[in-house]
Structure formats: structure tokens, C-alpha cells
Amino acid sequence: GESVGLHLPTLSVQEGDNSIINCAYSNSASDYFIWYKQESGKGPQFIIDIRSNMDKRQGQRVTVLLNKTVKHLSLQIAATQPGDSAVYFCAENPDNYGQNFVFGPGTRLSVLP
Amino acid sequence: KAGVTQTPRYLIKTRGQQVTLSCSPISGHRSVSWYQQTPGQGLQFLFEYFSETQRNKGNFPGRFSGRQFSNSRSEMNVSTLELGDSALYLCASSLADRDTEAFFGQGTRLTVV
């Protein structure tokens, strides 16, 4: 069935280093993807999105890369800070109608001092 | 600009009871989606409403239902509660009809005892 999966459940990085969080999606028809950050006790927070007609999109300290050939999505965080510690989810919209997102299981990012 | 507001934040119910959760979307947003988040299943889509009509529905039993009012506020109802319904219920709102940023509220933590 449709699914969005993550390769690593946890990721630890040194403060100041770059982080890369990966995601594999299964539905080749998905044309819209979002990365979310969820801190403890809070709802998911929108980070960045990308449409299938793009390979790369940059935000403030974050970059999302989309490889449609292998159905892979990644989130790069530059100069990782303690405030980046959270669980990160990728989400795809596999439907052509409506906002129905399929979420990956999430990756917990821990930033070490 | 106020974000997505969910009430109540916490709720404890007994098996067999029913519960109603409320979501007020960001002003101007017409799409409201509901998700269930549990440690075991992650974030799972329940249903989406757009202009007072249910547009998408996830794979949940009929005990889970929802509705949307003319002001875009939405409610979801769970009848005959089961222990497995204990979860964080999240609401997300979007401006347009599809493939746009979805913003989440902080969720309602439901505990069924």
C-alpha cells in the first residue's frame, strides 16, 4: 500500500554540523511533499515543502531534495542548533484531490553540545 | 494571525463513552484535516473537510466521524470509545484545496480508561 518510510529512526549530530534526514516514499503519483518538525508536547510545525516538478528547494538553513527516480526525499539542516532537536516527519500527498497526507514514522534528531 | 486552535487540550474518558473534539482553523482556511497520532502507528489520516463537505476519509471505523461548519470550524466525534483510541488527535488547516501548506494545532490528548 501507500507508505512513506524513513531509513533512520534516530540521528545524533554535533552542534554546528549539518544534518541530513532521509525519507523514502512509495507512491510515484505523489506530487507534493512536506517536511514537519515536532517538538515534545506540540503539534507538527511546517518546515518546507516541495512539488514534484522541482528537485531542490531552499529555505532558511534548510534544503529539501527530491529524487523522483528512486522516490527519495531528504531534508538538510545547515549548522544544526540545539533548538533543532525534535522529531522530523516527511509527508506526501498521494491523492489528486484534497489534502490527505501520508506521514513517515519520523526521525528523532538529537543535537549534541 | 492566530494559529490552529484545538479544544480541549486534554481529555480523559471511559470506555464506551463518546467524545467530541473541536478545531478552529486559521482565518481564511477552508480545508480542515484530522489526524490520529500514536507511538505505535504514527500519524494517520482520519478525514478532511473542505467547504463543509467531507472530501477524503482514512481507514478508520465508522465510530470516527466529523463535520465542518460554515465558518470552517470543525469537530470530530468518536463514539463507543475503546482503550486503543487513546492518542493525540491533531487538526490541520490549509488555505487552498490541495497541495498547499497544512498547519497543525497543538492537538487534543485523549486518554481512554
Side-chain angles (χ1 to χ4, degrees), chain B residues 48-61:
Chain B
E48 182 213 359
Y49 288 87
F50 183 77
S51 295
E52 301 179 65
T53 301
Q54 187 181 85
R55 185 162 64 175
N56 283 294
K57 190 176 190 306
N59 296 322
F60 279 83

Side-chain angles (χ1 to χ4, degrees), chain A residues 31-32 34 36 38 41-46 49 51 89 93-105, chain B residues 9 31 33 35 37 42-43 45 48 55-57 88 90 94 96-107:
Chain A
D31 58 1
Y32 182 62
I34 298 180
Y36 284 96
Q38 187 174 27
K42 298 184 178 180
Q45 176 188 354
F46 175 91
D49 60 357
R51 301 182 190 281
F89 296 94
N93 189 352
D95 288 338
N96 290 319
Y97 184 65
Q99 297 276 73
N100 168 11
F101 288 96
V102 176
F103 282 80
Chain B
R9 287 293 311 279
S31 169
S33 300
Y35 292 82
Q37 186 175 28
L43 273 154
F45 172 78
E48 182 213 359
R55 185 162 64 175
N56 283 294
K57 190 176 190 306
L88 180 67
L90 292 159
S94 304
D97 57 353
R98 71 178 298 271
D99 286 357
T100 56
E101 305 165 31
F103 296 93
F104 282 85
Q106 290 198 299

Side-chain angles (χ1 to χ4, degrees), chain B residues 55-81:
Chain B
R55 185 162 64 175
N56 283 294
K57 190 176 190 306
N59 296 322
F60 279 83
R63 300 184 298 107
F64 292 81
S65 63
R67 60 177 175 169
Q68 186 180 35
F69 302 96
S70 59
N71 61 358
S72 293
R73 190 178 70 85
S74 178
E75 290 181 345
M76 69 161 284
N77 184 78
V78 187
S79 62
T80 319
L81 284 166

